[in-house]
Amino acid sequence: MQLQPGLYRHYKGPEYRVFGVARHSETEEEVVVYQALYGEYGLWVRPLSMFTSTVEVDGQTMLRFALIKAEPAQFVQP
């Protein structure tokens, strides 16, 4: 699955910058590499399947992370 690098908003409100999708060295699971745009600006990874999943809030289904603005990839992608 392709995931567009760029700015995303978590369903709870905070914004993040997605750098791209990486592969776990042991399990080969695809994970999203992203950075919080608040607080300590920590780097995080999350399984791609979880990052792109939906959640239900007050009876409404929404994306866990919604794209705000696409940005060019910062890494070489085939």
Side-chain angles (χ1 to χ4, degrees), residues 19-51:
F19 296 106
V21 176
R23 190 169 297 278
H24 189 287
S25 63
E26 297 295 323
T27 65
E28 295 193 16
E29 179 182 23
E30 290 182 304
V31 294
V32 178
V33 180
Y34 62 105
Q35 181 179 30
L37 297 179
Y38 61 91
E40 295 182 17
Y41 290 78
L43 287 175
W44 298 89
V45 296
R46 179 185 294 247
L48 177 61
S49 60
M50 181 184 286
F51 192 93

PDB file of all heavy atoms in Angstrom, residues 19-51:
ATOM      1  N   PHE A  19       6.876  10.792   6.920  1.00  0.00           N
ATOM      2  CA  PHE A  19       8.050  10.737   6.044  1.00  0.00           C
ATOM      3  C   PHE A  19       7.922   9.626   5.016  1.00  0.00           C
ATOM      4  O   PHE A  19       8.415   9.749   3.903  1.00  0.00           O
ATOM      5  CB  PHE A  19       9.325  10.550   6.862  1.00  0.00           C
ATOM      6  CG  PHE A  19       9.603  11.711   7.778  1.00  0.00           C
ATOM      7  CD1 PHE A  19       9.408  11.591   9.138  1.00  0.00           C
ATOM      8  CD2 PHE A  19      10.011  12.925   7.274  1.00  0.00           C
ATOM      9  CE1 PHE A  19       9.644  12.664   9.988  1.00  0.00           C
ATOM     10  CE2 PHE A  19      10.251  14.012   8.104  1.00  0.00           C
ATOM     11  CZ  PHE A  19      10.062  13.876   9.467  1.00  0.00           C
ATOM     12  N   GLY A  20       7.293   8.539   5.396  1.00  0.00           N
ATOM     13  CA  GLY A  20       7.119   7.445   4.455  1.00  0.00           C
ATOM     14  C   GLY A  20       6.858   6.139   5.172  1.00  0.00           C
ATOM     15  O   GLY A  20       6.633   6.098   6.384  1.00  0.00           O
ATOM     16  N   VAL A  21       6.906   5.067   4.385  1.00  0.00           N
ATOM     17  CA  VAL A  21       6.662   3.724   4.890  1.00  0.00           C
ATOM     18  C   VAL A  21       7.979   2.959   4.876  1.00  0.00           C
ATOM     19  O   VAL A  21       8.719   2.997   3.886  1.00  0.00           O
ATOM     20  CB  VAL A  21       5.606   2.994   4.032  1.00  0.00           C
ATOM     21  CG1 VAL A  21       5.414   1.564   4.501  1.00  0.00           C
ATOM     22  CG2 VAL A  21       4.278   3.754   4.084  1.00  0.00           C
ATOM     23  N   ALA A  22       8.287   2.295   5.983  1.00  0.00           N
ATOM     24  CA  ALA A  22       9.502   1.488   6.117  1.00  0.00           C
ATOM     25  C   ALA A  22       9.080   0.040   6.365  1.00  0.00           C
ATOM     26  O   ALA A  22       7.904  -0.250   6.596  1.00  0.00           O
ATOM     27  CB  ALA A  22      10.356   1.999   7.274  1.00  0.00           C
ATOM     28  N   ARG A  23      10.049  -0.843   6.340  1.00  0.00           N
ATOM     29  CA  ARG A  23       9.768  -2.263   6.567  1.00  0.00           C
ATOM     30  C   ARG A  23      10.564  -2.724   7.794  1.00  0.00           C
ATOM     31  O   ARG A  23      11.757  -2.474   7.893  1.00  0.00           O
ATOM     32  CB  ARG A  23      10.167  -3.067   5.331  1.00  0.00           C
ATOM     33  CG  ARG A  23       9.687  -4.497   5.375  1.00  0.00           C
ATOM     34  CD  ARG A  23       9.863  -5.186   4.042  1.00  0.00           C
ATOM     35  NE  ARG A  23       9.086  -4.579   2.972  1.00  0.00           N
ATOM     36  CZ  ARG A  23       7.803  -4.821   2.739  1.00  0.00           C
ATOM     37  NH1 ARG A  23       7.146  -5.648   3.510  1.00  0.00           N
ATOM     38  NH2 ARG A  23       7.179  -4.252   1.729  1.00  0.00           N
ATOM     39  N   HIS A  24       9.879  -3.386   8.723  1.00  0.00           N
ATOM     40  CA  HIS A  24      10.516  -3.922   9.916  1.00  0.00           C
ATOM     41  C   HIS A  24      11.544  -4.965   9.493  1.00  0.00           C
ATOM     42  O   HIS A  24      11.248  -5.835   8.669  1.00  0.00           O
ATOM     43  CB  HIS A  24       9.451  -4.547  10.826  1.00  0.00           C
ATOM     44  CG  HIS A  24       9.957  -4.945  12.167  1.00  0.00           C
ATOM     45  ND1 HIS A  24      10.777  -6.037  12.360  1.00  0.00           N
ATOM     46  CD2 HIS A  24       9.754  -4.394  13.382  1.00  0.00           C
ATOM     47  CE1 HIS A  24      11.051  -6.148  13.651  1.00  0.00           C
ATOM     48  NE2 HIS A  24      10.445  -5.160  14.286  1.00  0.00           N
ATOM     49  N   SER A  25      12.749  -4.883  10.036  1.00  0.00           N
ATOM     50  CA  SER A  25      13.849  -5.751   9.588  1.00  0.00           C
ATOM     51  C   SER A  25      13.655  -7.228   9.926  1.00  0.00           C
ATOM     52  O   SER A  25      14.205  -8.093   9.253  1.00  0.00           O
ATOM     53  CB  SER A  25      15.176  -5.274  10.187  1.00  0.00           C
ATOM     54  OG  SER A  25      15.141  -5.380  11.597  1.00  0.00           O
ATOM     55  N   GLU A  26      12.883  -7.545  10.945  1.00  0.00           N
ATOM     56  CA  GLU A  26      12.682  -8.939  11.331  1.00  0.00           C
ATOM     57  C   GLU A  26      11.405  -9.540  10.761  1.00  0.00           C
ATOM     58  O   GLU A  26      11.391 -10.662  10.286  1.00  0.00           O
ATOM     59  CB  GLU A  26      12.661  -9.063  12.868  1.00  0.00           C
ATOM     60  CG  GLU A  26      13.965  -8.655  13.537  1.00  0.00           C
ATOM     61  CD  GLU A  26      15.122  -9.569  13.187  1.00  0.00           C
ATOM     62  OE1 GLU A  26      14.909 -10.790  13.065  1.00  0.00           O
ATOM     63  OE2 GLU A  26      16.245  -9.050  13.026  1.00  0.00           O
ATOM     64  N   THR A  27      10.332  -8.770  10.812  1.00  0.00           N
ATOM     65  CA  THR A  27       9.031  -9.305  10.410  1.00  0.00           C
ATOM     66  C   THR A  27       8.606  -8.880   9.006  1.00  0.00           C
ATOM     67  O   THR A  27       7.653  -9.419   8.463  1.00  0.00           O
ATOM     68  CB  THR A  27       7.935  -8.827  11.379  1.00  0.00           C
ATOM     69  OG1 THR A  27       7.817  -7.403  11.257  1.00  0.00           O
ATOM     70  CG2 THR A  27       8.257  -9.214  12.810  1.00  0.00           C
ATOM     71  N   GLU A  28       9.293  -7.901   8.452  1.00  0.00           N
ATOM     72  CA  GLU A  28       8.974  -7.293   7.156  1.00  0.00           C
ATOM     73  C   GLU A  28       7.619  -6.582   7.153  1.00  0.00           C
ATOM     74  O   GLU A  28       7.095  -6.223   6.111  1.00  0.00           O
ATOM     75  CB  GLU A  28       9.077  -8.298   6.019  1.00  0.00           C
ATOM     76  CG  GLU A  28      10.503  -8.780   5.824  1.00  0.00           C
ATOM     77  CD  GLU A  28      10.711  -9.522   4.521  1.00  0.00           C
ATOM     78  OE1 GLU A  28       9.865  -9.425   3.616  1.00  0.00           O
ATOM     79  OE2 GLU A  28      11.753 -10.188   4.422  1.00  0.00           O
ATOM     80  N   GLU A  29       7.049  -6.364   8.337  1.00  0.00           N
ATOM     81  CA  GLU A  29       5.801  -5.603   8.428  1.00  0.00           C
ATOM     82  C   GLU A  29       6.056  -4.163   7.987  1.00  0.00           C
ATOM     83  O   GLU A  29       7.082  -3.570   8.313  1.00  0.00           O
ATOM     84  CB  GLU A  29       5.297  -5.604   9.874  1.00  0.00           C
ATOM     85  CG  GLU A  29       4.028  -4.808  10.062  1.00  0.00           C
ATOM     86  CD  GLU A  29       3.561  -4.783  11.510  1.00  0.00           C
ATOM     87  OE1 GLU A  29       4.387  -4.980  12.417  1.00  0.00           O
ATOM     88  OE2 GLU A  29       2.365  -4.566  11.718  1.00  0.00           O
ATOM     89  N   GLU A  30       5.109  -3.581   7.244  1.00  0.00           N
ATOM     90  CA  GLU A  30       5.226  -2.194   6.831  1.00  0.00           C
ATOM     91  C   GLU A  30       4.806  -1.290   7.986  1.00  0.00           C
ATOM     92  O   GLU A  30       3.761  -1.511   8.612  1.00  0.00           O
ATOM     93  CB  GLU A  30       4.355  -1.919   5.609  1.00  0.00           C
ATOM     94  CG  GLU A  30       4.881  -2.596   4.358  1.00  0.00           C
ATOM     95  CD  GLU A  30       4.040  -2.290   3.150  1.00  0.00           C
ATOM     96  OE1 GLU A  30       2.820  -2.564   3.209  1.00  0.00           O
ATOM     97  OE2 GLU A  30       4.596  -1.785   2.159  1.00  0.00           O
ATOM     98  N   VAL A  31       5.645  -0.301   8.262  1.00  0.00           N
ATOM     99  CA  VAL A  31       5.370   0.664   9.329  1.00  0.00           C
ATOM    100  C   VAL A  31       5.500   2.080   8.768  1.00  0.00           C
ATOM    101  O   VAL A  31       6.287   2.331   7.861  1.00  0.00           O
ATOM    102  CB  VAL A  31       6.307   0.491  10.545  1.00  0.00           C
ATOM    103  CG1 VAL A  31       6.065  -0.838  11.246  1.00  0.00           C
ATOM    104  CG2 VAL A  31       7.753   0.627  10.151  1.00  0.00           C
ATOM    105  N   VAL A  32       4.725   2.994   9.317  1.00  0.00           N
ATOM    106  CA  VAL A  32       4.769   4.396   8.921  1.00  0.00           C
ATOM    107  C   VAL A  32       5.750   5.115   9.841  1.00  0.00           C
ATOM    108  O   VAL A  32       5.697   4.954  11.061  1.00  0.00           O
ATOM    109  CB  VAL A  32       3.369   5.037   9.026  1.00  0.00           C
ATOM    110  CG1 VAL A  32       3.420   6.512   8.667  1.00  0.00           C
ATOM    111  CG2 VAL A  32       2.382   4.293   8.151  1.00  0.00           C
ATOM    112  N   VAL A  33       6.641   5.911   9.253  1.00  0.00           N
ATOM    113  CA  VAL A  33       7.601   6.722  10.008  1.00  0.00           C
ATOM    114  C   VAL A  33       7.069   8.152  10.010  1.00  0.00           C
ATOM    115  O   VAL A  33       6.846   8.738   8.942  1.00  0.00           O
ATOM    116  CB  VAL A  33       9.003   6.681   9.374  1.00  0.00           C
ATOM    117  CG1 VAL A  33       9.984   7.529  10.175  1.00  0.00           C
ATOM    118  CG2 VAL A  33       9.494   5.245   9.250  1.00  0.00           C
ATOM    119  N   TYR A  34       6.828   8.696  11.208  1.00  0.00           N
ATOM    120  CA  TYR A  34       6.236  10.025  11.287  1.00  0.00           C
ATOM    121  C   TYR A  34       6.741  10.774  12.515  1.00  0.00           C
ATOM    122  O   TYR A  34       7.324  10.197  13.423  1.00  0.00           O
ATOM    123  CB  TYR A  34       4.707   9.949  11.248  1.00  0.00           C
ATOM    124  CG  TYR A  34       4.044   9.203  12.386  1.00  0.00           C
ATOM    125  CD1 TYR A  34       3.396   9.897  13.400  1.00  0.00           C
ATOM    126  CD2 TYR A  34       4.023   7.814  12.449  1.00  0.00           C
ATOM    127  CE1 TYR A  34       2.747   9.235  14.428  1.00  0.00           C
ATOM    128  CE2 TYR A  34       3.385   7.141  13.469  1.00  0.00           C
ATOM    129  CZ  TYR A  34       2.745   7.855  14.450  1.00  0.00           C
ATOM    130  OH  TYR A  34       2.113   7.200  15.473  1.00  0.00           O
ATOM    131  N   GLN A  35       6.513  12.097  12.505  1.00  0.00           N
ATOM    132  CA  GLN A  35       6.994  12.964  13.572  1.00  0.00           C
ATOM    133  C   GLN A  35       5.856  13.800  14.118  1.00  0.00           C
ATOM    134  O   GLN A  35       5.061  14.373  13.347  1.00  0.00           O
ATOM    135  CB  GLN A  35       8.079  13.901  13.039  1.00  0.00           C
ATOM    136  CG  GLN A  35       8.657  14.823  14.079  1.00  0.00           C
ATOM    137  CD  GLN A  35       9.743  15.712  13.523  1.00  0.00           C
ATOM    138  OE1 GLN A  35       9.732  16.062  12.358  1.00  0.00           O
ATOM    139  NE2 GLN A  35      10.688  16.066  14.362  1.00  0.00           N
ATOM    140  N   ALA A  36       5.771  13.882  15.434  1.00  0.00           N
ATOM    141  CA  ALA A  36       4.800  14.761  16.079  1.00  0.00           C
ATOM    142  C   ALA A  36       5.193  16.209  15.809  1.00  0.00           C
ATOM    143  O   ALA A  36       6.383  16.552  15.845  1.00  0.00           O
ATOM    144  CB  ALA A  36       4.777  14.508  17.587  1.00  0.00           C
ATOM    145  N   LEU A  37       4.229  17.051  15.535  1.00  0.00           N
ATOM    146  CA  LEU A  37       4.504  18.470  15.302  1.00  0.00           C
ATOM    147  C   LEU A  37       4.083  19.302  16.507  1.00  0.00           C
ATOM    148  O   LEU A  37       3.546  20.398  16.391  1.00  0.00           O
ATOM    149  CB  LEU A  37       3.776  18.933  14.022  1.00  0.00           C
ATOM    150  CG  LEU A  37       4.248  18.232  12.761  1.00  0.00           C
ATOM    151  CD1 LEU A  37       3.463  18.724  11.546  1.00  0.00           C
ATOM    152  CD2 LEU A  37       5.744  18.425  12.548  1.00  0.00           C
ATOM    153  N   TYR A  38       4.380  18.755  17.692  1.00  0.00           N
ATOM    154  CA  TYR A  38       4.077  19.423  18.961  1.00  0.00           C
ATOM    155  C   TYR A  38       4.985  18.824  20.030  1.00  0.00           C
ATOM    156  O   TYR A  38       5.649  17.804  19.793  1.00  0.00           O
ATOM    157  CB  TYR A  38       2.605  19.237  19.353  1.00  0.00           C
ATOM    158  CG  TYR A  38       2.229  17.782  19.551  1.00  0.00           C
ATOM    159  CD1 TYR A  38       2.333  17.185  20.804  1.00  0.00           C
ATOM    160  CD2 TYR A  38       1.807  17.000  18.483  1.00  0.00           C
ATOM    161  CE1 TYR A  38       2.024  15.856  20.988  1.00  0.00           C
ATOM    162  CE2 TYR A  38       1.495  15.661  18.652  1.00  0.00           C
ATOM    163  CZ  TYR A  38       1.602  15.099  19.902  1.00  0.00           C
ATOM    164  OH  TYR A  38       1.304  13.778  20.083  1.00  0.00           O
ATOM    165  N   GLY A  39       5.039  19.439  21.180  1.00  0.00           N
ATOM    166  CA  GLY A  39       5.811  18.907  22.303  1.00  0.00           C
ATOM    167  C   GLY A  39       7.282  18.738  21.969  1.00  0.00           C
ATOM    168  O   GLY A  39       7.930  19.679  21.523  1.00  0.00           O
ATOM    169  N   GLU A  40       7.790  17.530  22.159  1.00  0.00           N
ATOM    170  CA  GLU A  40       9.202  17.238  21.913  1.00  0.00           C
ATOM    171  C   GLU A  40       9.485  16.846  20.463  1.00  0.00           C
ATOM    172  O   GLU A  40      10.593  16.473  20.128  1.00  0.00           O
ATOM    173  CB  GLU A  40       9.678  16.149  22.873  1.00  0.00           C
ATOM    174  CG  GLU A  40       9.638  16.596  24.324  1.00  0.00           C
ATOM    175  CD  GLU A  40      10.157  15.529  25.279  1.00  0.00           C
ATOM    176  OE1 GLU A  40      10.835  14.594  24.835  1.00  0.00           O
ATOM    177  OE2 GLU A  40       9.856  15.653  26.478  1.00  0.00           O
ATOM    178  N   TYR A  41       8.488  16.892  19.604  1.00  0.00           N
ATOM    179  CA  TYR A  41       8.639  16.570  18.172  1.00  0.00           C
ATOM    180  C   TYR A  41       9.254  15.187  17.969  1.00  0.00           C
ATOM    181  O   TYR A  41      10.115  14.985  17.131  1.00  0.00           O
ATOM    182  CB  TYR A  41       9.463  17.644  17.450  1.00  0.00           C
ATOM    183  CG  TYR A  41       8.711  18.946  17.321  1.00  0.00           C
ATOM    184  CD1 TYR A  41       8.601  19.828  18.398  1.00  0.00           C
ATOM    185  CD2 TYR A  41       8.086  19.276  16.143  1.00  0.00           C
ATOM    186  CE1 TYR A  41       7.892  21.006  18.296  1.00  0.00           C
ATOM    187  CE2 TYR A  41       7.372  20.465  16.017  1.00  0.00           C
ATOM    188  CZ  TYR A  41       7.277  21.319  17.105  1.00  0.00           C
ATOM    189  OH  TYR A  41       6.561  22.480  16.985  1.00  0.00           O
ATOM    190  N   GLY A  42       8.772  14.239  18.751  1.00  0.00           N
ATOM    191  CA  GLY A  42       9.302  12.879  18.709  1.00  0.00           C
ATOM    192  C   GLY A  42       9.033  12.175  17.387  1.00  0.00           C
ATOM    193  O   GLY A  42       8.071  12.472  16.679  1.00  0.00           O
ATOM    194  N   LEU A  43       9.928  11.241  17.046  1.00  0.00           N
ATOM    195  CA  LEU A  43       9.754  10.374  15.886  1.00  0.00           C
ATOM    196  C   LEU A  43       9.057   9.105  16.337  1.00  0.00           C
ATOM    197  O   LEU A  43       9.378   8.554  17.388  1.00  0.00           O
ATOM    198  CB  LEU A  43      11.105  10.012  15.265  1.00  0.00           C
ATOM    199  CG  LEU A  43      11.802  11.114  14.493  1.00  0.00           C
ATOM    200  CD1 LEU A  43      13.174  10.632  14.047  1.00  0.00           C
ATOM    201  CD2 LEU A  43      10.990  11.558  13.304  1.00  0.00           C
ATOM    202  N   TRP A  44       8.118   8.635  15.502  1.00  0.00           N
ATOM    203  CA  TRP A  44       7.317   7.469  15.841  1.00  0.00           C
ATOM    204  C   TRP A  44       7.200   6.539  14.651  1.00  0.00           C
ATOM    205  O   TRP A  44       7.384   6.947  13.509  1.00  0.00           O
ATOM    206  CB  TRP A  44       5.905   7.901  16.249  1.00  0.00           C
ATOM    207  CG  TRP A  44       5.884   8.765  17.460  1.00  0.00           C
ATOM    208  CD1 TRP A  44       5.984  10.125  17.505  1.00  0.00           C
ATOM    209  CD2 TRP A  44       5.786   8.330  18.806  1.00  0.00           C
ATOM    210  NE1 TRP A  44       5.937  10.568  18.803  1.00  0.00           N
ATOM    211  CE2 TRP A  44       5.816   9.472  19.619  1.00  0.00           C
ATOM    212  CE3 TRP A  44       5.658   7.092  19.413  1.00  0.00           C
ATOM    213  CZ2 TRP A  44       5.723   9.417  21.001  1.00  0.00           C
ATOM    214  CZ3 TRP A  44       5.566   7.029  20.789  1.00  0.00           C
ATOM    215  CH2 TRP A  44       5.606   8.179  21.566  1.00  0.00           C
ATOM    216  N   VAL A  45       6.895   5.280  14.935  1.00  0.00           N
ATOM    217  CA  VAL A  45       6.497   4.327  13.896  1.00  0.00           C
ATOM    218  C   VAL A  45       5.227   3.644  14.366  1.00  0.00           C
ATOM    219  O   VAL A  45       4.998   3.484  15.567  1.00  0.00           O
ATOM    220  CB  VAL A  45       7.588   3.265  13.574  1.00  0.00           C
ATOM    221  CG1 VAL A  45       8.823   3.915  12.990  1.00  0.00           C
ATOM    222  CG2 VAL A  45       7.926   2.427  14.769  1.00  0.00           C
ATOM    223  N   ARG A  46       4.405   3.278  13.389  1.00  0.00           N
ATOM    224  CA  ARG A  46       3.142   2.606  13.686  1.00  0.00           C
ATOM    225  C   ARG A  46       2.867   1.685  12.505  1.00  0.00           C
ATOM    226  O   ARG A  46       3.141   2.053  11.363  1.00  0.00           O
ATOM    227  CB  ARG A  46       2.040   3.648  13.821  1.00  0.00           C
ATOM    228  CG  ARG A  46       0.666   3.071  14.118  1.00  0.00           C
ATOM    229  CD  ARG A  46      -0.400   4.160  14.106  1.00  0.00           C
ATOM    230  NE  ARG A  46      -0.223   5.112  15.177  1.00  0.00           N
ATOM    231  CZ  ARG A  46      -1.051   5.260  16.206  1.00  0.00           C
ATOM    232  NH1 ARG A  46      -2.135   4.509  16.303  1.00  0.00           N
ATOM    233  NH2 ARG A  46      -0.835   6.159  17.118  1.00  0.00           N
ATOM    234  N   PRO A  47       2.322   0.503  12.744  1.00  0.00           N
ATOM    235  CA  PRO A  47       1.989  -0.371  11.620  1.00  0.00           C
ATOM    236  C   PRO A  47       1.124   0.369  10.599  1.00  0.00           C
ATOM    237  O   PRO A  47       0.182   1.088  10.974  1.00  0.00           O
ATOM    238  CB  PRO A  47       1.234  -1.526  12.267  1.00  0.00           C
ATOM    239  CG  PRO A  47       1.748  -1.565  13.676  1.00  0.00           C
ATOM    240  CD  PRO A  47       1.980  -0.117  14.035  1.00  0.00           C
ATOM    241  N   LEU A  48       1.441   0.194   9.323  1.00  0.00           N
ATOM    242  CA  LEU A  48       0.697   0.850   8.254  1.00  0.00           C
ATOM    243  C   LEU A  48      -0.791   0.531   8.351  1.00  0.00           C
ATOM    244  O   LEU A  48      -1.635   1.421   8.182  1.00  0.00           O
ATOM    245  CB  LEU A  48       1.252   0.422   6.891  1.00  0.00           C
ATOM    246  CG  LEU A  48       0.547   0.970   5.662  1.00  0.00           C
ATOM    247  CD1 LEU A  48       0.603   2.493   5.617  1.00  0.00           C
ATOM    248  CD2 LEU A  48       1.156   0.371   4.403  1.00  0.00           C
ATOM    249  N   SER A  49      -1.111  -0.717   8.639  1.00  0.00           N
ATOM    250  CA  SER A  49      -2.522  -1.108   8.719  1.00  0.00           C
ATOM    251  C   SER A  49      -3.257  -0.339   9.816  1.00  0.00           C
ATOM    252  O   SER A  49      -4.427   0.011   9.660  1.00  0.00           O
ATOM    253  CB  SER A  49      -2.650  -2.614   8.951  1.00  0.00           C
ATOM    254  OG  SER A  49      -2.023  -2.979  10.163  1.00  0.00           O
ATOM    255  N   MET A  50      -2.587  -0.046  10.916  1.00  0.00           N
ATOM    256  CA  MET A  50      -3.209   0.714  12.000  1.00  0.00           C
ATOM    257  C   MET A  50      -3.283   2.199  11.630  1.00  0.00           C
ATOM    258  O   MET A  50      -4.292   2.863  11.885  1.00  0.00           O
ATOM    259  CB  MET A  50      -2.424   0.550  13.300  1.00  0.00           C
ATOM    260  CG  MET A  50      -3.036   1.287  14.480  1.00  0.00           C
ATOM    261  SD  MET A  50      -2.051   1.185  15.973  1.00  0.00           S
ATOM    262  CE  MET A  50      -2.383  -0.499  16.446  1.00  0.00           C
ATOM    263  N   PHE A  51      -2.218   2.726  11.013  1.00  0.00           N
ATOM    264  CA  PHE A  51      -2.175   4.139  10.642  1.00  0.00           C
ATOM    265  C   PHE A  51      -3.327   4.480   9.698  1.00  0.00           C
ATOM    266  O   PHE A  51      -3.945   5.531   9.807  1.00  0.00           O
ATOM    267  CB  PHE A  51      -0.835   4.471   9.978  1.00  0.00           C
ATOM    268  CG  PHE A  51      -0.593   5.945   9.815  1.00  0.00           C
ATOM    269  CD1 PHE A  51       0.100   6.658  10.778  1.00  0.00           C
ATOM    270  CD2 PHE A  51      -1.058   6.622   8.697  1.00  0.00           C
ATOM    271  CE1 PHE A  51       0.324   8.024  10.631  1.00  0.00           C
ATOM    272  CE2 PHE A  51      -0.844   7.987   8.540  1.00  0.00           C
ATOM    273  CZ  PHE A  51      -0.157   8.685   9.513  1.00  0.00           C
TER     274      PHE A  51
END
